[in-house]
Structure formats: C-alpha cells, structure tokens
C-alpha cells in the first residue's frame, strides 16, 4: 500500500474540526431559537394581533399611530414596566382560545394602569384543499366572542350580542371632551352589563365602547372599528385613529402598548430564556467561551509530546532516594545512627591518613585535634547521635557531623 493511499484512507483533521465547530454552533443556535422563538417571530400568521397584516390584525393602526408621532410599544411580557410619571394604555387583543385565567393574570398585572380590551370577532379557518399563504387569513366568518374573555370578578355579569343583518352606519359620540365620529360596521357586536357604562352606543342598542365604572378598563366590542379591515378607506382609517386617541386621552395615558402575550408572541418565564437575555447573557457567553477554550486546548497539543519515563530511574541518586524512602516508610531512621557515625569516621580517618591500629574512641579523639577551637567535637556528636530520641535531634546531629567532614575534607 502506497503512502498516498494510506493518507487518503485516514480522517482529515480539518474536516473533523469543522464538523465539530458547526455542530457546536448549531446546538447553541437551536437552544437560543427555542428560548427566544416567540420573541423573534414576525407574526405573519393571519391572526388578530398587532403584528398581523391580515384583515383581522392591527398592524395598520400601529403603523399609522407611529407615523403620527404617538409612542407605541409592542409588549411581549405580562408584567408591564413601571414608571412614576408615565402611563401607558395597554391594548389587549385576546383570541377565541384565550383562557379566563390568562385574562385575569394579565389584567391584574397591569395594576391601576388603563386597559383597552378588543374582543375578537372573526373566525378564519383555512380554505379546504388549499395550502395557506404566509401572512394571509382564511375566509372570514363573523361570530360571537366568548363571554369568558371578560372575567365576572372584574367586569361583573356582561351580555354580548350580535346585531346580524345590521347595515353599516355612522355614530357621533362625545368622548374625552371631543366629538368622535365612529363608522359602525355591519353585523356589529355590542356589550351590556351592570358594572359597565356605555361610552359609544350602537344604533340598535348596547355599547360598542364601554368602560368599567370603578376602573379605567375599556371594552371595544367590535374590532372592525380599528383593525386592518377598517383601513379599507381613508375616512375609516382616520376614524380609527381618532377613536384610539380619544380613549387614550380619556384614560390620561401618555402612550400605547399593544399586548402580544395573549397571541403567543410573549417571552415566557423559563430558565432557558433567562440564559439568553440580560443580565444572564453575559454568564452564558462566558460559559460558551470557556467551553470553546477547553475544546481548543484538548484539540491542540502545546509543545512536544512527553516521552514515558521509567518507573524507577537508573542512577546512584535514584538508588539512594529509593533506599531512603524505604527507610522512611518503615520508620527506621534512628536505627542507622551507628552506621552513619562509622561511615563518617572511616571517611575522615582514611582521607587524613590517621595512624593505623586506633580504635573508635582513639580515632574520634584524633579527629578532635584537627578541629578548630570552639567548634563542636566529633567525639561528642558521635556519642550523642545514637542516643537521639526523634528525627529532629537525629537530623541536627547528622548535619553537624556532615559539616565537620566537609570542613576537614573540603568536599560536599
């Protein structure tokens, strides 16, 4: 087998590294999209909310209000921001699938801030046999909004009615000290109740726009007054903006906030979402960077590879070290005192050519004669070392003997 064939059969490190990097990026992006998907959605689903450009949506009035200089916010969280000297009119656009507990939670979260509830009217099922177009609504079927969207604990007992067969018309009403012309749509929906008061009445009876008596909670029973369908003509568009402006002025609001949480575009509470939003996004980025650095360190070797070494090195120093370790593990350090003294005595006597035939005591006395005055005597250390009671005393006397040998023999 040639060298080129063997190389082609192996893995390409760059290719494998690229696959790993792409996999890591895709994994992080997947979790980020799962956490932030509702907030990143464009809202092109044909529904009745502030992002929708279909007939039941409210994107047209949002755009027109922004062009007119109004302060408009698309709110994606249940808890509104709190300001001391700034009030927003929260505009809720529930659907027929909105649960009462969702409405109650959202209304309680607003506190004392004014709220406008726009009830749903149109059912837009998909056309049978046709694929839905992105952002388009299906055929519109007018229907009665469910009364559960107005919780009795807040609105009391309310009655919703549909005036089927009613023709489009115009109603003039006084609201917030101004005269408002309202274009009443066909098949209008009205609301009545003991706990609410009528602000704009329908010609056939009931209220198109009502308000709770004890709180700034407004109910717009028919959404065709301000949705995209109302922007079929210039006059209806002007009337829609005037109506919203009058409601905001009546509520003493400084800005408008269209809620998107009831339509599925809010950022819910979750640990996964918190990891990708301030202030925890910094910790997430640090963890990602640490993981990438650890992967890079594992992938790239710094310096030459370490050669495996012998478990027991081959040298005199290694032999001495191993012997010392064995003596230490056996706790027999003090047993070598006599041997150490004998080795030091023999080395000094041999190197200094001591007279032959001397015993140990005579040799120690002969060595003492070669020591400078005032220094420790070799004979005293030789007698004291075997009597050491612990390793500290043994080490001190052994070092003193070694120092005498080094001074006399001029070596280490």
């Amino acid at each position: 087998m040639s060298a080129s064939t063997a190389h082609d059969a192996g893995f390409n490190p760059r290719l494998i590294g690229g696959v790993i990097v792409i996999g890591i990026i895709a994994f992080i992006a997947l979790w980020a999209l799962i956490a932030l998907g509702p907030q990143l959605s464009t809202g092109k689903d044909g529904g009745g909310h502030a992002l929708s450009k279909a007939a039941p949506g409210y994107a047209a009035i949002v755009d027109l209000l922004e062009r007119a200089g109004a302060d408009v916010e698309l709110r994606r969280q249940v808890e509104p921001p709190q300001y001391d000297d700034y009030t927003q009119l929260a505009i809720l656009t529930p659907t027929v699938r909105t649960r009462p507990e969702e409405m109650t939670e959202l209304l309680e979260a607003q506190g004392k801030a004014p709220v406008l509830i726009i009830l749903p009217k149109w059912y837009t099922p998909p056309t049978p046999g046709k694929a839905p177009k992105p952002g388009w609504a299906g055929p519109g079927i007018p229907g009665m909004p469910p009364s559960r969207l107005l919780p009795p604990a807040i609105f009391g007992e309310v009655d919703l009615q549909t005036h089927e067969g009613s023709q489009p018309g115009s109603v003039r009403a006084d609201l917030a000290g101004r005269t408002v012309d309202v274009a009443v749509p066909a098949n209008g929906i009205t609301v009545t109740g003991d706990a609410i008061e009528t602000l704009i009445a329908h010609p056939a009876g009931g209220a198109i726009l009502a308000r709770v008596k004890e709180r700034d909670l407004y109910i717009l029973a028919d959404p065709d007054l301000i949705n995209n369908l109302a922007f079929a003509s210039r006059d209806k568009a002007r009337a829609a903006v005037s109506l919203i402006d009058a409601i905001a002025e009546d509520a003493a609001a400084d800005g408008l906030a269209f809620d998107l949480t009831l339509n599925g575009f809010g950022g819910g509470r979750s640990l996964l979402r918190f990891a990708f939003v301030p202030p925890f996004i910094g910790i997430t980025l640090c963890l990602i960077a640490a993981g990438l650095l650890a992967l890079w360190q594992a992938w790239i070797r710094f310096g030459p590879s370490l050669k495996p070494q012998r478990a027991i090195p081959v040298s005199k120093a290694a032999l001495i070290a191993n012997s010392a370790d064995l003596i230490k593990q056996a706790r027999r350090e003090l047993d070598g005192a006599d041997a150490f003294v004998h080795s030091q005595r023999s080395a000094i006597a041999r190197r200094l050519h001591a007279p032959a035939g001397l015993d140990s005591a005579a040799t120690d006395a002969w060595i003492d004669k070669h020591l400078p005055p005032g220094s420790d005597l070799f004979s005293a250390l030789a007698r004291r070392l075997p009597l050491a009671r612990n390793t500290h005393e043994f080490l001190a006397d052994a070092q003193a003997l070694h120092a005498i040998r080094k001074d006399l023999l001029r070596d280490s």
Side-chain angles (χ1 to χ4, degrees):
M1 182 182 293
S2 63
S4 60
T5 305
H7 177 73
D8 294 340
F11 292 103
N12 188 342
R14 294 183 179 180
L15 177 60
I16 300 301
V19 171
I20 294 176
V21 171
I22 294 175
I24 293 174
I25 296 175
F27 179 78
I28 297 173
L30 173 63
W31 286 104
L33 290 176
I34 293 175
L36 303 177
Q39 291 185 297
L40 300 177
S41 177
T42 59
K44 295 181 178 180
D45 59 354
H49 49 82
L51 296 175
S52 175
K53 297 181 179 180
Y58 303 94
I61 193 168
V62 170
D63 181 68
L64 187 56
L65 288 170
E66 290 178 343
R67 291 174 183 269
D71 188 4
V72 182
E73 176 189 354
L74 300 182
R75 186 178 295 170
R76 297 177 181 266
Q77 56 185 2
V78 175
E79 295 82 2
Q82 302 295 331
Y83 305 100
D84 294 334
D85 55 351
Y86 182 81
T87 304
Q88 285 182 316
L89 174 64
I91 302 177
L92 311 185
T93 56
T95 67
V96 294
R97 293 181 296 274
T98 301
R99 300 190 302 272
E101 53 269 20
E102 293 177 337
M103 290 293 298
T104 303
E105 178 186 3
L106 192 56
L107 290 172
E108 291 178 351
Q110 306 307 312
K112 296 182 180 180
V115 179
L116 170 63
I117 301 176
I118 305 175
L119 298 178
K121 178 180 180 179
W122 295 99
Y123 297 85
T124 56
T127 303
K130 292 185 179 180
K133 296 182 179 180
W136 286 48
I141 303 174
M144 174 73 69
S147 59
R148 68 173 183 274
L149 298 179
L150 302 175
I154 301 176
F155 298 91
E157 295 296 333
V158 297
D159 183 23
L160 298 173
Q161 295 182 352
T162 300
H163 300 278
E164 298 182 358
S166 61
Q167 299 299 319
S170 178
V171 174
R172 176 167 293 183
D174 293 330
L175 185 60
R178 66 165 71 178
T179 301
V180 180
D181 292 326
V182 179
V184 180
N187 299 321
I189 300 177
T190 60
V191 58
T192 57
D194 297 334
I196 60 177
E197 57 182 347
T198 301
L199 298 180
I200 300 178
H202 193 276
I208 301 176
L209 177 66
R211 178 180 58 193
V212 177
K213 296 178 181 180
E214 299 180 356
R215 184 179 171 185
D216 288 337
L217 292 180
Y218 300 85
I219 306 171
L220 185 61
D222 200 315
D224 289 347
L225 297 175
I226 62 172
N227 59 14
N228 296 337
L229 191 63
F231 280 70
S233 66
R234 185 183 299 271
D235 294 336
K236 291 183 179 181
R238 185 182 296 110
V241 175
S242 299
L243 177 60
I244 290 293
D245 185 59
I247 297 174
E249 185 175 351
D250 184 75
D254 303 306
L256 305 173
F258 284 84
D259 174 76
L260 297 175
T261 61
L262 292 177
N263 306 97
F265 300 103
R269 294 180 178 179
S270 66
L271 295 177
L272 184 61
R273 176 180 174 271
F274 286 156
F276 293 95
V277 297
F280 301 105
I281 182 63
I283 300 176
T284 303
L285 293 178
C286 290
L287 292 176
I288 293 174
L292 293 178
L293 288 175
L295 179 63
W296 179 55
Q297 185 178 11
W299 183 268
I300 299 177
R301 185 178 62 203
F302 295 92
S305 58
L306 298 177
K307 296 181 179 180
Q309 298 181 356
R310 292 174 57 92
I312 302 177
V314 181
S315 65
K316 292 181 180 179
L319 180 60
I320 294 173
N322 290 335
S323 301
D325 288 338
L326 289 175
I327 294 174
K328 184 177 181 180
Q329 292 179 6
R331 300 181 181 274
R332 305 300 295 270
E333 297 95 336
L334 303 181
D335 295 343
D338 292 330
F340 181 75
V341 171
H342 178 72
S343 66
Q344 298 297 321
R345 180 187 300 117
S346 300
I348 295 174
R350 184 175 63 254
R351 292 283 298 276
L352 296 181
H353 304 287
L358 298 178
D359 57 3
S360 299
T363 304
D364 294 345
W366 183 85
I367 295 175
D368 292 340
K369 295 178 182 179
H370 293 78
L371 296 176
S375 62
D376 293 333
L377 298 179
F378 184 89
S379 58
L381 293 174
R383 289 193 303 269
R384 191 170 61 193
L385 185 62
L387 303 177
R389 293 170 297 180
N390 50 54
T391 56
H392 297 288
E393 295 180 359
F394 178 85
L395 181 61
D397 294 340
Q399 288 177 342
L401 284 177
H402 181 73
I404 291 175
R405 172 181 171 172
K406 185 169 63 174
D407 293 339
L408 293 177
L409 303 183
R410 299 294 189 270
D411 60 6
S412 56

